[in-house]
Amino acid sequence: MTTKLFGERVPRVEDQRFLRGRGRYVDDVLVGPGTLHAAVLRSPHAHARILDIDVSAVLDLEGVHAVWTHDDLDGVMADPLPLLIPHPALTHGRTQFALAKDEVNHVGEAIAFVVADDRYVAEDAVDRIRVTYDFLPAVVGIEAARAATHLVHDDVPGNVGARMEQHHGDAPAAIATAPRRLSLDLTIERSSCQPMEGRGVVARWDPDTSRLTVWSSTQTSTGVRGCVAARLGLDLAQVDVITPDVGGGFGVKINHPWPEELLVPMAARALGRPVKFTEDRREHFISSAHERGQVHHVEVGFDGDGRVLGLDVTFWHDHGAYSPYGLIVPIITATQLLGPYKPGAYRVRFESLFTNTVMVTPYRGAGRPQGCFVMERTMDAIAADLGLDRAAVRAANFIQPDEFPYDHGLVFQDGRELEYDSGDYPASLDKLKALIDWDGFPALQAEAAAQGRRIGIGLACYVEGTGVGPYEGAHVHVETSGKVKVAIGLTTQGQGHATVFAQIVADELGVPLEDVEVVSGDTRKMPYAVGTFASRAAVMSGSAVQLAAQAVREKALRIAAEALEADAADLEIVDGLVQVRGTDASLALGTVAVLSNPLRYAFDEASKAATQFAVGDPGRPPVAEDDEPGLEARDFYSPQRATFASGMHAVIVETDPDTAEIRILRYAVVHDCGRIINPMIVEGQIHGGVAQGVGGALYERMEYDDSGQLLNASFMDFLMPYVTEVPDTIEIDHLETPSPLNRLGIKGAGEAGVIPGSAAIAAAIEDAEGFPITAMPISPSELHALRQSKETP
């Protein structure tokens, strides 16, 4: 029997290629001799009017082929870039131009685009362009944006791009009548994705076929395709977008189109030569996207057992100079803040504010780390106020297993009801407490204190909406060799898609894993798709792959039944053979593929079996009305709403009494993503997420000065955790509560590891130090300053 692969720890099939240096990224794309290279002039100022751009010194520079400013752009190319996700509450959405028109609104904004023989000449040319500016005051940070002494955009009153409120019940009334009440002010600072590979794009125009081929380091090939076609006045059928290997995305590459994704194809068509652009690291810091920056005010009312009776949250979200991705991040914060809890009443209000800084789009977790920090800090504050165990307070507020599906009475980021599909939060908490030895920690803490050491423990719970729509598709094709080719529209950035989707297909078709090849992110293979984001790949493409493979299986059994003169119900597929149960009669799946395609010509020995004098019933057409040639199928999965994964993290930290350095001693995770396709890959996702969570809690922040200059726009100054700062061992336990929303019972896992990091680590530091931690990330110098402030009378 073929070994079932779903749920097994199958090693990743893609790793050998990467480990041997055979990965092929955008910068490795070779499109023939004569490829030109692009560079971009970017604003050195955060806010200024452009009075004049002088490119005269560039025009005669040897090796330069063209230079564009906004005045050189035609038609829709001269319009602002698209507002990708409109929303009724986004009353003043603003997007940048491909090249700045009249004004720049953050350091790094694109002003001019140069194409030359190589990048060196292009960069030299950029340095020769002279821009005359009229400087304007910069608005930096949420406090300055709220004050609105100066405006980022003259036509946006108060710097407010959007105001939004959602509520369930009467939170202010519930708080006013609650036995106990607390207020908290909490802050999460700005950070950014920083994938190993920055953005990149290559384009080639074929004048003979009037076709454009674009290679982009993106999380949405089909999205880029649509934007490029629309802006260049091409039919979709004239544009192919290919996403090769991608060296990390983490959200920044879901935004599209970046200016270069339009300018490079435009230049390739205009110049009749392939054109390439590869972003450098400083460009990524100052001209891609950031996330996280929010300030929250919380009012909560609760009873003597810690049950939340009313929760009222107001927060301010910094969306930078532009808002191309709409309100997705703050809406996720507003709704996912609730986590696994059911407050008696809830109201949330936010303002999304413009600042003269890099725009904000999703970063792994996408608003959830902020919401989790706020909710979990609130739970800890309630426990401290009542003198109760922090885990017990959480347990008192959990949605119970028999209450699913649970409707919060809110609207999620996809416009659908915030309705949790499944979960068992008490069971997760029990697992986490056992994993970290929660009940035994007080004795360990007392022992450390006797040695002059400060250690603390913290925990944090979260729920993550995953698998959002609108759809994904898959194409499964059995070759006459018996090999199975699978095409999905999603792009992949290292998640192991080639392995997990092959596992699903291998199980469904009864073929060896090594006979399945998965191709992703190529619009030539799968033109209808959405993208890789929001922990949606397994749910969306996994479900589509299963549906397509199931259709192929049904067709294979039908064709084989005719050839074997058997009933299809008596057939099975084992190790690539379609066989009659209990007999030796069988056909190779590759032979069934041959038989699926009626042929006139025999071009090899195998194809003879499908020619007109070998098979076929003269009484009916070779291809029935409801059939088509080939052993293949394409299918799509489109859910009504998101699935909701969940989990809990616990961490033990030590804070040095002299230097205030913070060291992680233990880290434990309990995770529920429904049925697990491959535990090894899920654990890898958790490990990577925890590393990013540690970075967000202790190291990573964007440091702007008052003039809007990013002061740490390099890896010399922007701190990230090294392997020495990430826990050596992350203890993981799984809980599986299958989702009823898809046939596989799966939920997403990609962002889970990062969501509760700041909340859990803040709680552990607070436990070690004995005073509240209300802002993250926290550095040793900041912890030292907090100590000093607590010691000062």
Side-chain angles (χ1 to χ4, degrees):
M1 289 291 293
T2 302
T3 302
K4 285 292 182 182
L5 297 172
F6 194 109
E8 296 300 313
R9 302 176 70 87
V10 176
R12 288 167 37 121
V13 301
E14 51 267 85
D15 284 352
Q16 290 302 315
R17 185 166 60 85
F18 292 131
L19 291 171
R20 286 173 166 78
R22 294 174 182 165
R24 188 169 183 260
Y25 303 87
V26 168
D27 198 50
D28 298 319
V29 171
L30 300 175
V31 287
T35 298
L36 304 175
H37 296 261
V40 180
L41 173 66
R42 304 190 184 277
S43 172
H45 307 293
H47 200 192
R49 292 190 184 91
I50 299 173
L51 302 181
D52 181 64
I53 305 174
D54 183 0
V55 300
S56 58
V58 176
L59 299 178
D60 296 328
L61 186 64
E62 185 177 354
V64 170
H65 290 257
V67 57
W68 280 270
T69 68
H70 184 271
D71 288 345
D72 302 306
L73 303 179
D74 297 321
V76 290
M77 276 294 294
D79 292 341
L81 299 184
L83 178 58
L84 291 171
I85 307 178
H87 191 281
L90 184 57
T91 53
H92 294 79
R94 297 293 180 271
T95 60
Q96 70 188 104
F97 292 87
L99 294 170
K101 177 185 179 184
D102 301 331
E103 184 173 305
V104 290
N105 287 296
H106 68 87
V107 171
E109 186 164 353
I111 295 175
F113 183 74
V114 175
V115 179
D117 285 338
D118 56 47
R119 182 65 177 260
Y120 303 100
V121 174
E123 295 281 3
D124 288 345
V126 162
D127 287 343
R128 295 189 180 202
I129 299 173
R130 295 292 174 258
V131 183
T132 305
Y133 299 97
D134 176 19
F135 303 118
L136 299 170
V139 178
V140 181
I142 288 173
E143 184 178 347
R146 290 182 63 193
T149 304
H150 304 290
L151 298 179
V152 176
H153 303 287
D154 290 340
D155 59 346
V156 180
N159 293 312
V160 179
R163 288 187 177 92
M164 188 174 177
E165 175 178 328
Q166 292 200 62
H167 66 272
H168 177 68
D170 189 342
I175 294 167
T177 58
R180 312 279 293 191
R181 295 182 292 277
L182 284 173
S183 297
L184 295 88
D185 291 294
L186 302 161
T187 301
I188 291 278
E189 294 190 32
R190 194 181 254 248
S191 186
S192 69
C193 298
Q194 300 303 324
M196 291 180 68
E197 179 200 24
R199 297 179 294 113
V201 59
V202 178
R204 178 182 63 202
W205 173 255
D206 186 338
D208 294 330
T209 60
S210 295
R211 292 187 69 84
L212 180 69
T213 305
V214 179
W215 292 261
S216 180
S217 178
T218 182
Q219 291 175 231
T220 173
S221 304
T222 52
V224 172
R225 180 193 191 207
C227 291
V228 168
R231 292 297 165 122
L232 296 188
L234 299 171
D235 294 334
L236 272 178
Q238 292 179 271
V239 181
D240 299 316
V241 174
I242 303 165
T243 299
D245 294 324
V246 177
F250 308 117
V252 69
K253 294 176 183 176
I254 191 58
N255 189 66
H256 63 283
W258 294 100
E260 298 83 7
E261 285 175 320
L262 299 177
L263 296 168
V264 168
M266 177 195 74
R269 183 172 67 169
L271 299 172
R273 301 262 294 273
V275 177
K276 174 185 285 191
F277 166 79
T278 302
E279 178 185 66
D280 66 31
R281 185 55 57 180
R282 176 172 170 78
E283 285 181 299
H284 189 81
F285 270 101
I286 65 171
S287 62
S288 57
H290 300 164
E291 214 238 86
R292 300 288 193 254
Q294 290 180 359
V295 173
H296 289 248
H297 178 73
V298 179
E299 299 282 344
V300 61
F302 50 97
D303 65 17
D305 294 322
R307 282 188 290 267
V308 175
L309 305 176
L311 179 65
D312 196 0
V313 179
T314 302
F315 71 94
W316 296 267
H317 171 74
D318 178 354
H319 65 217
Y322 301 106
S323 54
Y325 218 74
L327 299 179
I328 294 298
V329 172
I331 290 175
I332 292 175
T333 299
T335 53
Q336 297 278 257
L337 181 150
L338 293 173
Y341 312 115
K342 48 176 182 181
Y346 176 57
R347 181 176 71 171
V348 61
R349 297 169 292 175
F350 69 77
E351 288 185 346
S352 196
L353 303 169
F354 286 107
T355 59
N356 289 118
T357 56
V358 174
M359 68 183 179
V360 164
T361 64
Y363 168 26
R364 192 179 193 177
R368 296 177 187 89
Q370 302 94 307
C372 182
F373 179 73
V374 170
M375 190 74 245
E376 295 302 299
R377 293 280 65 212
T378 300
M379 286 291 171
D380 287 337
I382 292 171
D385 183 75
L386 296 172
L388 296 177
D389 179 82
R390 290 170 285 168
V393 168
R394 287 167 169 82
N397 288 281
F398 280 155
I399 299 164
Q400 296 302 305
D402 62 357
E403 295 181 285
F404 291 97
Y406 188 88
D407 189 347
H408 276 291
L410 305 174
V411 178
F412 191 43
Q413 60 123 327
D414 57 356
R416 304 301 178 94
E417 301 88 349
L418 185 71
E419 182 179 291
Y420 294 177
D421 50 327
S422 66
D424 190 340
Y425 309 137
S428 289
L429 183 60
D430 288 343
K431 281 178 171 285
L432 185 70
K433 289 174 66 178
L435 201 59
I436 201 72
D437 190 16
W438 179 268
D439 294 334
F441 181 76
L444 183 66
Q445 189 176 41
E447 180 183 336
Q451 301 168 355
R453 298 169 57 212
R454 301 181 186 181
I455 65 172
I457 192 170
L459 82 160
C461 311
Y462 69 91
V463 171
E464 178 194 4
T466 72
V468 297
Y471 71 89
E472 285 299 337
H475 180 258
V476 176
H477 179 205
V478 179
E479 298 276 4
T480 55
S481 64
K483 301 290 185 181
V484 183
K485 307 295 185 182
V486 181
I488 58 173
L490 288 179
T491 61
T492 185
Q493 298 93 45
Q495 297 94 330
H497 292 165
T499 303
V500 295
F501 297 140
Q503 287 178 249
I504 293 172
V505 170
D507 273 0
E508 194 67 42
L509 291 183
V511 298
L513 183 75
E514 56 269 22
D515 284 351
V516 183
E517 176 189 327
V518 179
V519 176
S520 61
D522 187 337
T523 62
R524 299 170 302 179
K525 304 284 182 66
M526 177 53 66
Y528 296 102
V530 181
T532 304
F533 58 95
S535 300
R536 67 191 299 272
V539 175
M540 301 299 298
S541 281
S543 295
V545 163
Q546 191 267 341
L547 290 170
Q550 184 180 60
V552 169
R553 176 186 177 85
E554 291 171 357
K555 184 172 184 178
L557 294 178
R558 173 171 55 81
I559 294 170
E562 293 178 3
L564 294 170
E565 298 181 344
D567 191 318
D570 295 330
L571 300 183
E572 61 183 350
I573 309 177
V574 179
D575 290 330
L577 287 177
V578 186
Q579 59 190 34
V580 182
R581 290 185 180 89
T583 74
D584 294 331
S586 66
L587 281 176
L589 195 59
T591 302
V592 178
V594 172
L595 297 176
S596 72
N597 182 20
L599 296 173
R600 180 174 178 82
Y601 306 111
F603 43 80
D604 60 14
E605 286 300 313
S607 64
K608 289 181 182 178
T611 54
Q612 53 207 343
F613 296 111
V615 295
D617 182 348
R620 63 182 183 184
V623 179
E625 286 185 11
D626 59 347
D627 204 358
E628 59 184 32
L631 189 52
E632 60 186 303
R634 186 168 72 168
D635 212 332
F636 294 84
Y637 173 70
S638 181
Q640 286 191 323
R641 61 178 60 87
T643 61
F644 285 86
S646 63
M648 302 177 187
H649 290 202
V651 61
I652 297 174
V653 305
E654 181 169 1
T655 58
D656 190 284
D658 298 318
T659 65
E661 289 181 279
I662 302 159
R663 187 162 66 96
I664 296 173
L665 303 181
R666 288 184 66 189
Y667 205 105
V669 175
V670 174
H671 182 252
D672 177 6
C673 61
R675 293 184 65 214
I676 298 174
I677 303 171
N678 187 324
M680 184 185 301
I681 285 180
V682 170
E683 289 166 12
Q685 289 282 3
I686 291 171
H687 288 172
V690 168
Q692 284 185 297
V694 170
L698 302 178
Y699 302 100
E700 299 172 8
R701 74 179 78 206
M702 297 287 107
E703 290 279 5
Y704 279 97
D705 67 14
D706 291 341
S707 67
Q709 293 292 334
L710 184 58
L711 301 178
N712 59 336
S714 76
F715 285 161
M716 290 289 290
D717 302 301
F718 178 78
L719 298 181
M720 291 187 291
Y722 296 153
V723 67
T724 49
E725 280 77 53
V726 177
D728 290 337
T729 301
I730 300 170
E731 302 162 71
I732 300 175
D733 197 359
H734 298 286
L735 184 73
E736 290 187 329
T737 62
S739 172
L741 301 182
N742 60 77
R743 295 185 185 186
L744 298 174
I746 54 180
K747 308 175 187 178
E751 298 172 273
V754 74
I755 293 169
S758 287
I761 291 171
I765 296 170
E766 180 172 299
D767 187 46
E769 295 290 327
F771 51 75
I773 303 298
T774 60
M776 295 298 268
I778 186 168
S779 67
S781 60
E782 287 166 325
L783 180 56
H784 178 74
L786 283 173
R787 286 175 177 173
Q788 296 290 99
S789 68
K790 301 305 175 184
E791 293 170 2
T792 303

